[in-house]
Amino acid sequence: MPKVVLGRPLSKVVIIGLGLIGSSFARGLKKWGLCEEIVGCARSSSTLEKGLDLGVIDTAEKDLSLAVQGADLVFLSMPIGATEKILSTIAPYLGENTIVTDAGSVKGCVVEAAKRVFGEVPENFIPGHPIAGSEKSGVDAGTSGLFLHHKVILTPVSGHSPEAALTVTALWEAMGANVILMDPGTHDKILAATSHLPHLLAYSLVDTMAKDDESLDIFRYAAGGFRDFTRIAASDPTMWHDIFLANRAATLEALDEFTEDLALLRKAVDTGNSQDMLGVFTRAQAAREHFSTILSQRAYLEKMSESMNEKQIEFILQPGSKVSGKLRVTGDKSISHRSIILGSIAEGETDIEGFLEGEDALATLQAFRDLGVVIEGPHQGRVKVYGVGLHGLKAPPGDLYLGNSGTSMRLLAGLLAAQDFSVTLTGDKSLTKRPMGRVATPLRLMGAQIDTGQDGSPPLAIKGNPSLSGIEYPMPMASAQVKSCLLLAGLYADSTTVIEPAPTRDHTERMLRGFGVSVDQRGDTVTLQGGQTLKACSIDIPADISSAAFFIVAGTIAKDSEILLEHVGVNPTRTGVIDILRLMGANISLLNERQVGGEPVADLLVKSADLKGIDIPEALVPLAIDEFPVIFVAAACAQGPTCLRGAEELRVKESDRIQVMADGLVSLGVDAQATPDGILINGKGDGQANVFTEGTVESHGDHRIAMSFSVASLRSSGEIRVLNCANVATSFPSFVSEAQKVGIQIIAKDVQ
Ligand code: S3P
């Protein structure tokens, strides 16, 4: 059994190849005290001498057979083409417990080389690949921090020693790297696309340009683009020669795919096909931004981000006193989703302003790009959607990942049930727990084929059926998402009727009308005839009342405060929060009421008020469904008890908002009790300045919980910490800076 380095240094590590990677590994071992002696091996004496002079190695040894004897670990970091030869040289001298690992950029060939040398891959051989480096090479180029925050992929094969894998993992982690396990084939395919192909292209482009008669001029004037694109052509040619040969099949596959796409782009440029060009460029731009997001470890639209370390944000709030000023909060989330969906299936170009650049709405936007729609932006809230018509969506290249966004999943389920392709909708941990049976069941009645996970949870595997039949569906729950899902599916059926048990937000109906579709609304019944063409239009999205709600409550509960919230959407199906707070005694005035693109809008003037507890009328529940967490904070500041009933829906939002809010309130010293369908909060009354004690609350990754407890700080006696706040970016990415602007003492701390 090899020694496991968790806690004490190894005695002897041998590094074969003292280039950038080998010498950085040696420096890392030294810096973090991970071994007692480092023996360096290299072909050139001058490299070894330099290694000794620089203090990178303790001992230099040209004879590999002598070097590896008695070693705890041997690290191969010479060009990959030499792997087999080196392994056969050292094989007879390796101790029973010596761990061998490497840093080669291709893993399949390393595993094959080990098999040829040893008969089978030895249990102590743990192939690896640090995804770090630079175009620089040589022993003096190394740094001890080269691997910090970089990934190292280990590809142990079956039968390997777990202790050996743990030891190698521990070494890399001690140097600050994140270790990922993968099989060698997957590694080689991924690296062919992300590293090997770009190097091939960079070498080729520079070579083509250098051969050109004008090359001197080209190089003289080559500025940012050429420099950025070709930086890696300065890399070590022998190393890359070896890599391309070692990963020939996967590199060629990636190159062929690229060549095909390049030919299409050539044609688009040649024929002046703007749509095709913009399609490629906007998709690429989004993917590139998305890629940076993953690298900065924010959870957004990417399955990988869940398995990687998600960004952990905590809000730290100092007790505040008053708020003041004016704000235009970000665009309405519900309307933002719908603008992309309807714009995509319309004919013509839809221009959107005020689009919410939050992760949920961006999930919808990215999904439609994946469905073949060209979308420019978002840029400062402006988006242009090149509609493809009712029948123009295309099968996406893979599953559609919708992050945290329930609205995206439920609305897309309806639309995609009617297409002539199949698609699977997935999401993050929270979304995966949310009920989708509520859309799958009626869609199946329309003839859709949908498989869900256990108990109707995501993923949703949708086998498109272009000939859905209309239904008349009395909804068992008041849900705008279910209604909208069925209306979207209904665009592809004969006649669809949805009956609501209580009014819910009607943005879909209003926006469909804006796109020229006739929607019949009689009392609780909405009917839509399928087959109608949507005509592109302009959409001006008002500020989101659900985001404004945090500041409505802030302005109400903070003493001596006045705040103006501009251009807020006040659609009557969304203003339950205003009605409830007014019943409690809030001072909220609607100024400058107007219609903007079919939606009522107003500026809200909010002044401090003494609140009293109430029984919240059940009819208002669907009209304030997203605002209850912050209404509960207001209730805690009111005089006497507030009781909410008939709100079991809150238990299946991004978190169980009844329980999570009750727990948080209790931990801040408020008397609150969750009930199966609501909550009872004994307000502390307005006599007291401080309603909440200091404390720490867990938001369970629910954006609205995190923001609600931030508002509570305005009436707290001490510091409030709110954990797990990264998802505030799903609906209100600028919350922290807006809150600071009006006087809430908040900072966001990255606790990764
Ligand atoms: C939404 C409807 C509501 C709401 C959600 C957005 C919409 O959900 O909670 O945040 O955009 O249609 P339900 O319709 O499920 O109540």
Side-chain angles (χ1 to χ4, degrees), residues 541-559:
I541 301 178
D544 196 330
I545 189 167
S546 300
S547 299
F550 301 106
F551 296 105
I552 302 178
V553 171
T556 301
I557 64 170
K559 300 289 178 194

Tab-separated table of all heavy atoms in Angstrom, residues 541-559:
chain	number	residue	atom	x	y	z
A	541	ILE	N	-40.558	46.644	-21.201
A	541	ILE	CA	-40.864	45.879	-19.981
A	541	ILE	C	-40.758	46.791	-18.752
A	541	ILE	O	-39.718	47.412	-18.525
A	541	ILE	CB	-39.890	44.680	-19.845
A	541	ILE	CG1	-40.028	43.781	-21.077
A	541	ILE	CG2	-40.152	43.913	-18.560
A	541	ILE	CD1	-39.100	42.585	-21.098
A	542	PRO	N	-41.837	46.863	-17.976
A	542	PRO	CA	-41.773	47.715	-16.777
A	542	PRO	C	-40.928	47.087	-15.682
A	542	PRO	O	-40.571	45.906	-15.756
A	542	PRO	CB	-43.240	47.808	-16.337
A	542	PRO	CG	-43.915	46.631	-16.918
A	542	PRO	CD	-43.145	46.225	-18.144
A	543	ALA	N	-40.616	47.872	-14.666
A	543	ALA	CA	-39.874	47.350	-13.513
A	543	ALA	C	-40.734	46.309	-12.796
A	543	ALA	O	-41.969	46.387	-12.802
A	543	ALA	CB	-39.526	48.500	-12.573
A	544	ASP	N	-40.062	45.354	-12.188
A	544	ASP	CA	-40.746	44.200	-11.609
A	544	ASP	C	-41.313	44.545	-10.231
A	544	ASP	O	-40.553	44.857	-9.299
A	544	ASP	CB	-39.736	43.045	-11.493
A	544	ASP	CG	-40.418	41.708	-11.282
A	544	ASP	OD1	-41.510	41.691	-10.679
A	544	ASP	OD2	-39.862	40.686	-11.719
A	545	ILE	N	-42.618	44.446	-10.096
A	545	ILE	CA	-43.225	44.753	-8.790
A	545	ILE	C	-42.733	43.775	-7.722
A	545	ILE	O	-42.633	44.109	-6.544
A	545	ILE	CB	-44.776	44.786	-8.882
A	545	ILE	CG1	-45.358	45.330	-7.568
A	545	ILE	CG2	-45.352	43.422	-9.211
A	545	ILE	CD1	-46.812	45.692	-7.630
A	546	SER	N	-42.367	42.568	-8.147
A	546	SER	CA	-41.874	41.584	-7.170
A	546	SER	C	-40.525	42.007	-6.612
A	546	SER	O	-40.191	41.692	-5.469
A	546	SER	CB	-41.750	40.204	-7.816
A	546	SER	OG	-43.003	39.787	-8.279
A	547	SER	N	-39.712	42.694	-7.417
A	547	SER	CA	-38.438	43.214	-6.913
A	547	SER	C	-38.676	44.523	-6.161
A	547	SER	O	-38.050	44.783	-5.121
A	547	SER	CB	-37.467	43.457	-8.067
A	547	SER	OG	-37.210	42.235	-8.721
A	548	ALA	N	-39.602	45.342	-6.680
A	548	ALA	CA	-39.928	46.603	-6.005
A	548	ALA	C	-40.459	46.322	-4.598
A	548	ALA	O	-40.271	47.120	-3.674
A	548	ALA	CB	-40.962	47.375	-6.819
A	549	ALA	N	-41.111	45.148	-4.426
A	549	ALA	CA	-41.750	44.825	-3.147
A	549	ALA	C	-40.768	44.924	-1.973
A	549	ALA	O	-41.141	45.333	-0.873
A	549	ALA	CB	-42.350	43.420	-3.206
A	550	PHE	N	-39.505	44.560	-2.206
A	550	PHE	CA	-38.533	44.631	-1.101
A	550	PHE	C	-38.367	46.076	-0.638
A	550	PHE	O	-38.225	46.357	0.541
A	550	PHE	CB	-37.180	44.035	-1.533
A	550	PHE	CG	-37.330	42.599	-1.968
A	550	PHE	CD1	-37.267	42.251	-3.306
A	550	PHE	CD2	-37.613	41.618	-1.038
A	550	PHE	CE1	-37.462	40.943	-3.705
A	550	PHE	CE2	-37.809	40.300	-1.424
A	550	PHE	CZ	-37.744	39.967	-2.767
A	551	PHE	N	-38.429	46.987	-1.605
A	551	PHE	CA	-38.244	48.396	-1.242
A	551	PHE	C	-39.559	49.026	-0.778
A	551	PHE	O	-39.545	50.002	-0.036
A	551	PHE	CB	-37.622	49.150	-2.419
A	551	PHE	CG	-36.237	48.626	-2.713
A	551	PHE	CD1	-35.989	47.807	-3.797
A	551	PHE	CD2	-35.199	48.900	-1.833
A	551	PHE	CE1	-34.718	47.298	-4.031
A	551	PHE	CE2	-33.918	48.399	-2.051
A	551	PHE	CZ	-33.684	47.591	-3.154
A	552	ILE	N	-40.677	48.457	-1.211
A	552	ILE	CA	-41.966	48.951	-0.684
A	552	ILE	C	-42.000	48.653	0.820
A	552	ILE	O	-42.329	49.506	1.647
A	552	ILE	CB	-43.170	48.289	-1.400
A	552	ILE	CG1	-43.129	48.547	-2.907
A	552	ILE	CG2	-44.480	48.745	-0.783
A	552	ILE	CD1	-44.254	47.879	-3.698
A	553	VAL	N	-41.608	47.420	1.168
A	553	VAL	CA	-41.614	47.061	2.590
A	553	VAL	C	-40.524	47.845	3.323
A	553	VAL	O	-40.739	48.343	4.428
A	553	VAL	CB	-41.469	45.534	2.771
A	553	VAL	CG1	-41.254	45.180	4.245
A	553	VAL	CG2	-42.719	44.826	2.231
A	554	ALA	N	-39.362	48.004	2.678
A	554	ALA	CA	-38.274	48.758	3.323
A	554	ALA	C	-38.754	50.168	3.670
A	554	ALA	O	-38.601	50.631	4.811
A	554	ALA	CB	-37.060	48.818	2.404
A	555	GLY	N	-39.376	50.849	2.706
A	555	GLY	CA	-39.843	52.218	2.913
A	555	GLY	C	-40.939	52.283	3.961
A	555	GLY	O	-41.115	53.299	4.635
A	556	THR	N	-41.684	51.194	4.101
A	556	THR	CA	-42.785	51.163	5.063
A	556	THR	C	-42.290	50.931	6.482
A	556	THR	O	-42.695	51.614	7.414
A	556	THR	CB	-43.792	50.052	4.669
A	556	THR	OG1	-44.270	50.319	3.353
A	556	THR	CG2	-44.952	49.973	5.639
A	557	ILE	N	-41.392	49.955	6.658
A	557	ILE	CA	-41.025	49.587	8.047
A	557	ILE	C	-39.918	50.466	8.619
A	557	ILE	O	-39.791	50.590	9.830
A	557	ILE	CB	-40.629	48.093	8.180
A	557	ILE	CG1	-39.361	47.765	7.383
A	557	ILE	CG2	-41.788	47.183	7.794
A	557	ILE	CD1	-38.794	46.376	7.676
A	558	ALA	N	-39.093	51.078	7.746
A	558	ALA	CA	-38.019	51.926	8.268
A	558	ALA	C	-38.622	53.253	8.721
A	558	ALA	O	-39.540	53.770	8.087
A	558	ALA	CB	-36.963	52.157	7.202
A	559	LYS	N	-38.105	53.778	9.839
A	559	LYS	CA	-38.661	55.020	10.383
A	559	LYS	C	-38.275	56.216	9.514
A	559	LYS	O	-37.214	56.215	8.885
A	559	LYS	CB	-38.113	55.249	11.798
A	559	LYS	CG	-38.458	54.133	12.766
A	559	LYS	CD	-39.928	54.159	13.105
A	559	LYS	CE	-40.280	53.000	14.044
A	559	LYS	NZ	-41.705	52.794	14.147
